[in-house]
Amino acid sequence: MKTILVPFHGTDMGQTALELAYRMAQQFGGYVEGLFVRQPPPIVAGEGITIPGEYLAQLVEESRKLADSARKRFTKFINEKGLPLQDVTFASEQPSAGWREVEGLESQIVGEYGRLFDVIVIGCANKQSVADRNAMCEAALFDSGRPVLTASAELPPTFGKTIVVAWNGSTETARTIGLGMPLLLRAERVVVLTVEGATVPGPGAEQVAQHLVRNGVRAEVKIAQLEGRTSGVAILEEAKQFGVDLLFKGAYSHSRLRQMIFGGATSHILASADLPVFMAH
């Protein structure tokens, strides 16, 4: 977990992601890169209609101001934390940070550029930003091939001490465990949680825990019942009983379209989790 990407707009939503990325960088001596994506100005408004140059210039200037504001907030944060601004190629065992600005479609940039990083950290969503945040999450999960760590509005006081792995037997959750092994090895307690009736064909929680223990993880098992709850609700409620500060969840074991229409555990957890969630698809 040496390289950490944080799409950052200088908002409170991005601030929680930045704090979470900093905590991870502290643990692994990591490099945190803040990424600001400027939207390209539109060229044509419609057939035969050209947007006035003055208006385009105004859009470019507003985008420049937003980028400057985000960069200043990012720089202020890393200065307060004592992180040096360094290039990613500077090898160090101490945490460091960098800043990058590019122009393009944010979800596409995050999905493509994120392939270089060990993890992509995305901030919590408010009602106004939930659509953009979900689009970014999905691009990062489906297009980058890398894990995503989502921040909650208020972060727990600790990070990664008690981890609950929401095991449902799926390929996606197995990949999440593999990519998140450095976090699991550092945890003081790991609970492999299975909600009966919310699984796909695959190994059981006991087998997962056995293999984690063989890898040096302090793992135990919890089997829960749905008891009239949806799987997403059951996972969050059961996890809360352990004082968890990080949840591992395989993302979109069912298709995105199905979850958009019928709902699903991933969609519910993205919208409702009050703790950081580590995911992979």
Side-chain angles (χ1 to χ4, degrees), residues 27-43:
Q27 291 189 17
F28 297 99
Y31 165 81
V32 178
E33 185 167 292
L35 173 68
F36 186 93
V37 181
R38 299 189 304 273
Q39 288 276 34
I43 303 302

Side-chain angles (χ1 to χ4, degrees), residues 163-165 184 187-192 212 217-221:
I163 298 176
V164 166
V165 177
L184 295 171
E188 295 178 0
R189 186 184 189 189
V190 174
V191 180
V192 182
L212 287 175
V217 177
R218 303 176 183 88
E220 60 191 85
V221 175

Side-chain angles (χ1 to χ4, degrees), residues 193-210:
L193 168 68
T194 285
V195 179
E196 290 193 346
T199 60
V200 299
E206 293 85 357
Q207 291 174 289
V208 174
Q210 289 167 2

Side-chain angles (χ1 to χ4, degrees), residues 98-261:
W99 178 256
R100 179 177 293 268
E101 294 178 26
V102 297
E103 184 178 279
L105 180 64
E106 184 172 48
S107 58
Q108 180 180 352
I109 297 293
V110 170
E112 294 176 358
Y113 185 58
R115 296 168 192 166
L116 296 170
F117 291 80
D118 295 328
V119 63
I120 302 169
V121 183
I122 295 178
C124 62
N126 53 38
K127 290 182 179 179
Q128 289 74 34
S129 66
V130 65
D132 291 340
R133 187 253 202 170
N134 287 350
M136 197 193 307
C137 275
E138 290 181 1
L141 286 165
F142 285 87
D143 298 334
S144 75
R146 311 306 298 162
V148 170
L149 178 63
T150 62
S152 50
E154 293 186 11
L155 299 178
T158 58
F159 171 70
K161 283 191 174 182
T162 301
I163 298 176
V164 166
V165 177
W167 176 253
N168 65 351
S170 69
T171 303
E172 292 79 10
T173 310
R175 189 173 294 119
T176 302
I177 291 173
L179 292 169
M181 188 60 71
L183 289 164
L184 295 171
L185 287 168
R186 284 177 170 268
E188 295 178 0
R189 186 184 189 189
V190 174
V191 180
V192 182
L193 168 68
T194 285
V195 179
E196 290 193 346
T199 60
V200 299
E206 293 85 357
Q207 291 174 289
V208 174
Q210 289 167 2
H211 280 257
L212 287 175
V213 169
R214 185 64 182 83
N215 276 280
V217 177
R218 303 176 183 88
E220 60 191 85
V221 175
K222 166 69 175 180
I223 307 297
Q225 307 298 321
L226 278 174
E227 297 177 342
R229 301 172 291 185
T230 65
S231 56
V233 170
I235 289 168
L236 291 180
E237 289 183 351
E238 295 292 335
K240 192 173 184 180
Q241 297 180 18
F242 297 99
V244 61
D245 57 16
L246 179 61
L247 175 66
F248 272 40
K249 171 76 176 69
Y252 297 107
S253 298
H254 298 294
S255 71
R256 281 182 288 180
L257 179 60
R258 181 188 184 280
Q259 294 220 23
M260 287 172 62
I261 297 172

